[in-house]
Amino acid sequence: MKLRTGIYGGSFNPIHRGHTTLGRALCDMGWVDELWFLVSPLNPFKQNATDLLADEARLELTRLAVEGDTRLQVCDAEMHLPRPSYMVATLEFLRQQYPDREFVLVIGADNWARFMHWKQPEEILRHHHVVIYPRPGYPIDGQTLPPRVHLAETPLIDVSSTAIRRRIASGDYHGEDIGAAVWEEIQRRGYYQSEARE
């Protein structure tokens, strides 16, 4: 039986407890056996992002966030693929690289609302199950979802990477929504504290 591996893509700029709590919940609930945080170099819907930390910096913060839980892993596949990165190509690459795994796409209800605008969404659904997690303001009726698409009743955690970055820049943040190791690295490197980016 293939290992069910959740693919949870994002910029993780920075990763926070909302991300990691979701990953653990999906494993605990049996939706996936493992969850890989797929750190994206550039979201096609965020072409003008100007406050994105360097790829290696976000990868390192994500690695620090998942230390100690072997079910949570970090995936850098999109760093080696043509940009902008599209999920349909990433999943095809992962299928070829890891034929012993069954990859399950994990997305928020906000992304499901625009999923049909992604590149080749029907190709994704042909090869993969999709697990949707709730997001505030995006109600979903699980009974109306197409085959291979499932709603996971995971806890809602109201934490935002954007808000964390703003609070760090303003000096009004103390690391309460991110792991201690991640917060220490952000402070040590001076991430998000000015317009300067490494």
Side-chain angles (χ1 to χ4, degrees), residues 20-198:
T20 53
T21 300
L22 172 68
R24 292 187 181 101
L26 290 172
C27 293
D28 290 342
M29 296 167 72
W31 288 108
V32 295
D33 299 310
E34 290 183 352
L35 185 128
W36 291 3
F37 290 95
L38 177 73
V39 181
S40 174
L42 180 62
N43 183 326
F45 290 101
K46 298 179 180 178
Q47 294 281 2
N48 297 320
T50 58
D51 57 355
L52 194 65
L53 281 188
D55 297 344
E56 280 303 323
R58 289 179 293 115
L59 281 166
E60 179 58 23
L61 292 179
T62 307
R63 290 186 187 106
L64 289 170
V66 304
E67 275 184 353
D69 191 334
T70 57
R71 302 172 304 171
L72 305 183
Q73 302 291 327
V74 180
C75 179
D76 67 352
E78 289 194 339
M79 305 302 177
H80 311 292
L81 294 173
R83 302 183 188 186
S85 53
Y86 292 99
M87 187 57 73
V88 65
T90 302
L91 289 170
E92 181 182 5
F93 173 79
L94 291 172
R95 287 197 308 273
Q96 293 172 355
Q97 293 293 308
Y98 303 95
D100 58 331
R101 293 177 179 270
E102 176 191 349
F103 289 103
V104 177
L105 178 61
V106 174
I107 62 174
D110 52 337
N111 276 316
W112 175 249
R114 60 186 178 190
F115 181 77
M116 297 314 294
H117 297 288
W118 286 23
K119 185 174 183 180
Q120 296 180 286
E122 66 288 342
E123 183 70 6
I124 294 175
L125 293 176
R126 190 162 73 87
H127 292 283
H128 301 276
H129 286 270
V130 176
V131 172
I132 304 169
Y133 61 89
R135 290 295 302 270
Y138 293 89
I140 289 183
D141 180 358
Q143 302 298 317
T144 65
L145 295 172
R148 301 172 67 83
V149 181
H150 318 277
L151 179 62
E153 295 293 346
T154 53
L156 281 172
I157 299 176
D158 189 17
V159 183
S160 156
S161 293
T162 302
I164 290 172
R165 292 196 304 272
R166 288 175 180 159
R167 289 184 60 192
I168 293 173
S170 70
D172 178 36
Y173 191 71
H174 308 288
E176 53 269 26
D177 295 316
I178 52 181
V182 176
W183 179 228
E184 288 172 12
E185 181 71 358
I186 287 173
Q187 290 178 294
R188 187 171 74 86
R189 297 283 189 174
Y191 294 153
Y192 308 116
Q193 294 180 10
S194 71
E195 292 303 311
R197 300 287 173 226
E198 292 192 15

